[in-house]
Each structure stands twice: as structure tokens, then as C-alpha cells.
Amino acid sequence: MDYSLQHHKALIGQPIHSLLTPSITISHPVLKANIRRLHDDVSSIGIAFRPHVKTLKCLEATRMMLGNGDHRKVVASTIPEILGVLPLAQEGLLDECLYGLPVYPSILPRLQEIRRSLPITLMIDSPQHIQVLEDFADRSESFGPWRVFIKVDVGSHRAGVVPETAALSDLVHEAQASKALQVIGFYCHAGHSYSSRSEVEVIQVLEAELAGVLSGAKLIPRSQPLIVSIGATPTAHAITKLRRLLPQNATLELHAGNFLVNNLQQVSTSLIGLEQQAIRICAEVCSVYPERNEALLNAGVIALSRETSAFEGFGQVVDKQGWAVVRLSQEHGIIGRTKSAEHRNVSLDFKDGDRVLLFCQHA
């Protein structure tokens, strides 16, 4: 068992620098403010919200993202994440979970079992998925048709069918005809929005998201209610700029997951400031190398990831401007100077055993 789970009570009330390293630290006031900001945005334009349970996998954070029941649906991409939110369903705060990957055969028995406790919605982007669901229906206990979103690729090229194509039209036609599923809407995720560097660029991606899901919605009879679900944290930050009108049968839903903590990738979009990052990685200096003006940290790829942004390196030292994690291996990080701070001296700024707080690129 992880040390922090065994001994977390002894850490309550202690300063950050008493933590074992590397550790993740969260600012509760910033966390609450970030959640409140997005809740206020979706409320101001009258759309639905579905938080993505991925960044902070804990009941307290998920309960806050749901607004204690104001929002009643989540998306999660792993079985442990779904199991982790079941207590919220038992509390009466959660009505549905969308499984965040296109469906595959081996996952269905596990999702079917969870379906006894919490309604599960699926995602499809291929005719093969329809066959998978029909085959499963033929050999398993019936819970009725699976509710499904059709995933649309709006530029990330990770999953989804391309809008305005015969492939999308054919998929919609086959899905509508199948007795094993019920199409409830169209879903996209603009993962490529993380590379945006201005509000204008983010809004362009946001408009492409909505155009993508609406390209599917127009293939459905107007009498059939639909959900069109768009989102990624960068476009979520710009959601109030959306001006496109929806068909009368369509309900707009926003999904996002990183918004509650934010990170340097979000700051790079220019839509939030450094002070809106709730997350820090606490690491420790293991050695200092004056000859190359660098220091070694006990936080590498596992703690920080290899994600990048407009900010140099793989993480920025919070309280010592001009220093960043410039190289990584699995468990090690190298602190070096950024291009704007060539005058900094590692021997003056760091020593063995120093605790260092880092802004991370992606959480």
C-alpha cells in the first residue's frame, strides 16, 4: 500500500515541506475558485456540464465538480475511475457515467456489471462497434439497449469519425437501425486545443467542435432529442464566447476535466493566469552540479510527464524565477536555467535537500 494512504492522518495540519517527495499538492481555495468559475460560466449560458473524472481521482473533488448534485453526469475512461464514483451514485448525486473510450468487447462484461449500480453510456465511432454490441446482446442478460454517443473527430485524430463524410452518415444510419443501442447524441474532444496560444485560437477550436457534433445531429430526425457534447479544458475556459444557435432538438453539454487544477498548458492559452493553477509538485534536490550549473531532482517523467507548452522545460520552479526542469528520465529531473535567466547561479539558489515546488505542464 502507498505510504501516503497508510500515514495520511499524520500529515494533516503539517506544512508542505514535511511531505515525502515527490508529492502532489493542491491549493484548496484555488481549486474551489476554478470549479466555481466554470459552474458560473455554464450556468450563465444555460448549458449542461459533465465533468471528466481523471485529474483528481477522489470523491471530494468529484463531488465539488458535480456541484453537490447540480450536475449529475460524469465521463471516466477507466474501470477504477468509474468504481470510484459509485458512492456518489449511492448518495443520489450521480445519475450516469459515460465510458470515455470507444467500446471494445472485453470491457462490456465489466461495464454491464457496473450498470446494475449506475447507468453507463458508451461511445462508438465505427460500424464494428455496433456489431460488438449486437453480439454482446445476443449472449448476455438484457438491460435494454446501450445508450451511445457517436464520437466525432474535430482535429485531434485520436478517436472519432470525420464530420461531413459518408462514413459518418453510414454510421448514423446503421446505429439508428440497431436494436442493441440507442443514439443519444454526438461527442467530441478537442485535445489539440491544448496547443492554442490565444483566445482567438481557442475560440476557433471551440467553433470547430460545435460544427463537428452538429454535422452529426443534422442526420438525426428533428423529433429525436439529442445531446451534443463538446469540450476540453482550454475550450471550456472560452465557452461563454460561443454564439452558434442549436437545433431545437439538441441540448448542448460541456465536458472538461483539468479545469479544476489547471497547469502551464492552460496558462499558455492566455485564458488563465499563473495564480489559477491549484497544483504543485513538491520535489527534493538530490545533488547540485556547479560545473554545469544544474541540479538533480527526485521527480522525473512519472511525477511530471513529458508534456510541453509555451513555457520552457517540463516544469517551472515556483519561487525561483528562471529555473525549469530541462531534462527528464523516469525518476530524475534536471533543473537548469531558462533562456531568460542565464545569470542565475545554481550554487546560490539550490542545495542538497532543498524542497522545490514545481508548476507542471499537464496534470
Side-chain angles (χ1 to χ4, degrees), residues 67-68 76 78 87 108 133 146 148 162 172 203 218 236 252 274 285 294 317 341:
N68 273 321
T78 69
L108 283 173
L133 294 176
W146 291 90
V148 304
V162 177
V172 170
I203 292 173
K218 72 182 182 182
L252 180 60
L274 283 168
V285 176
E294 293 179 337
V317 179

Side-chain angles (χ1 to χ4, degrees), residues 170-213:
D170 291 346
L171 180 60
V172 170
H173 179 75
E174 289 187 47
Q176 287 282 87
S178 176
K179 295 181 179 179
L181 58 95
Q182 173 194 359
V183 176
I184 66 164
F186 295 84
Y187 183 102
C188 68
H189 175 68
H192 57 300
S193 64
Y194 282 79
S195 63
S196 300
R197 294 293 176 262
S198 69
E199 183 178 72
V200 170
E201 290 182 10
V202 171
I203 292 173
Q204 288 173 345
V205 178
L206 178 63
E207 293 287 349
E209 284 188 281
L210 189 53
V213 291

Side-chain angles (χ1 to χ4, degrees), residues 38-157:
L38 193 56
H39 284 177
D40 288 347
D41 285 348
V42 297
S43 176
S44 71
I45 58 174
I47 65 174
F49 176 57
R50 181 191 297 265
H52 191 168
V53 180
K54 62 172 186 174
T55 300
L56 298 183
K57 301 173 177 64
C58 64
L59 283 174
E60 293 86 349
T62 305
R63 186 180 287 108
M64 291 169 67
M65 289 195 294
L66 290 171
N68 273 321
D70 289 343
H71 309 284
R72 306 186 64 85
K73 301 175 182 179
V74 297
V75 53
S77 299
T78 69
I79 293 294
E81 287 168 348
I82 298 175
L83 294 176
V85 301
L86 289 183
L88 298 178
Q90 294 163 3
E91 291 177 27
L93 299 178
L94 183 62
D95 294 339
E96 180 223 295
C97 178
L98 167 64
Y99 181 63
L101 296 176
V103 66
Y104 49 97
S106 67
I107 200 66
L108 283 173
R110 304 175 76 184
L111 293 175
Q112 181 86 312
E113 185 60 31
I114 295 172
R115 209 177 176 193
R116 299 176 186 274
S117 304
L118 175 66
I120 298 294
T121 297
L122 302 178
M123 189 180 293
I124 67 171
D125 66 6
S126 165
Q128 293 184 28
H129 296 137
I130 298 173
Q131 188 63 55
V132 165
L133 294 176
E134 290 177 344
D135 290 346
F136 184 77
D138 288 342
R139 65 175 189 273
S140 64
E141 178 185 0
S142 176
F143 281 74
W146 291 90
R147 289 161 51 89
V148 304
F149 277 103
I150 293 177
K151 179 75 177 283
V152 181
D153 180 3
V154 294
S156 294
H157 306 314

Side-chain angles (χ1 to χ4, degrees), residues 85-351:
V85 301
L86 289 183
L88 298 178
Q90 294 163 3
E91 291 177 27
L93 299 178
L94 183 62
D95 294 339
E96 180 223 295
C97 178
L98 167 64
Y99 181 63
L101 296 176
V103 66
Y104 49 97
S106 67
I107 200 66
L108 283 173
R110 304 175 76 184
L111 293 175
Q112 181 86 312
E113 185 60 31
I114 295 172
R115 209 177 176 193
R116 299 176 186 274
S117 304
L118 175 66
I120 298 294
T121 297
L122 302 178
M123 189 180 293
I124 67 171
D125 66 6
S126 165
Q128 293 184 28
H129 296 137
I130 298 173
Q131 188 63 55
V132 165
L133 294 176
E134 290 177 344
D135 290 346
F136 184 77
D138 288 342
R139 65 175 189 273
S140 64
E141 178 185 0
S142 176
F143 281 74
W146 291 90
R147 289 161 51 89
V148 304
F149 277 103
I150 293 177
K151 179 75 177 283
V152 181
D153 180 3
V154 294
S156 294
H157 306 314
R158 183 166 64 186
V161 59
V162 177
E164 305 291 352
T165 60
L168 177 58
S169 180
D170 291 346
L171 180 60
V172 170
H173 179 75
E174 289 187 47
Q176 287 282 87
S178 176
K179 295 181 179 179
L181 58 95
Q182 173 194 359
V183 176
I184 66 164
F186 295 84
Y187 183 102
C188 68
H189 175 68
H192 57 300
S193 64
Y194 282 79
S195 63
S196 300
R197 294 293 176 262
S198 69
E199 183 178 72
V200 170
E201 290 182 10
V202 171
I203 292 173
Q204 288 173 345
V205 178
L206 178 63
E207 293 287 349
E209 284 188 281
L210 189 53
V213 291
L214 290 181
S215 74
K218 72 182 182 182
L219 301 172
I220 300 290
R222 291 262 177 170
S223 58
Q224 181 176 334
L226 288 175
I227 300 169
V228 287
S229 188
I230 64 174
T233 293
T235 54
H237 285 144
I239 193 63
T240 57
K241 308 295 183 181
L242 201 58
R243 294 293 180 263
R244 186 187 293 258
L245 295 176
L246 297 177
Q248 288 187 344
N249 65 324
T251 298
L252 180 60
E253 174 186 272
L254 176 71
H255 53 262
N258 181 264
F259 71 96
L260 73 168
V261 296
N262 291 316
N263 48 51
L264 291 174
Q265 286 187 339
Q266 307 300 336
V267 179
S268 294
T269 67
S270 79
L271 293 173
I272 68 161
L274 283 168
E275 73 282 357
Q276 290 171 276
Q277 295 178 97
I279 193 169
R280 312 282 191 277
I281 303 300
C282 182
E284 195 163 347
V285 176
C286 302
S287 194
V288 177
Y289 305 98
E291 66 278 6
R292 62 176 198 253
N293 213 22
E294 293 179 337
L296 179 70
L297 288 179
N298 65 341
V301 174
I302 301 301
L304 295 169
S305 87
R306 288 194 183 276
E307 299 279 349
T308 59
S309 73
F311 290 86
E312 289 182 56
F314 303 99
Q316 298 261 320
V317 179
V318 172
D319 56 354
K320 290 185 170 69
Q321 189 174 4
W323 295 103
V325 179
V326 295
R327 298 194 305 281
L328 289 172
S329 53
Q330 181 164 313
E331 306 292 355
H332 306 79
I334 301 296
I335 288 181
R337 294 174 301 187
T338 61
K339 293 176 182 177
S340 61
E342 294 182 357
H343 62 284
R344 302 301 293 264
N345 186 317
V346 71
S347 297
L348 298 179
D349 286 346
F350 301 100
K351 65 179 184 299

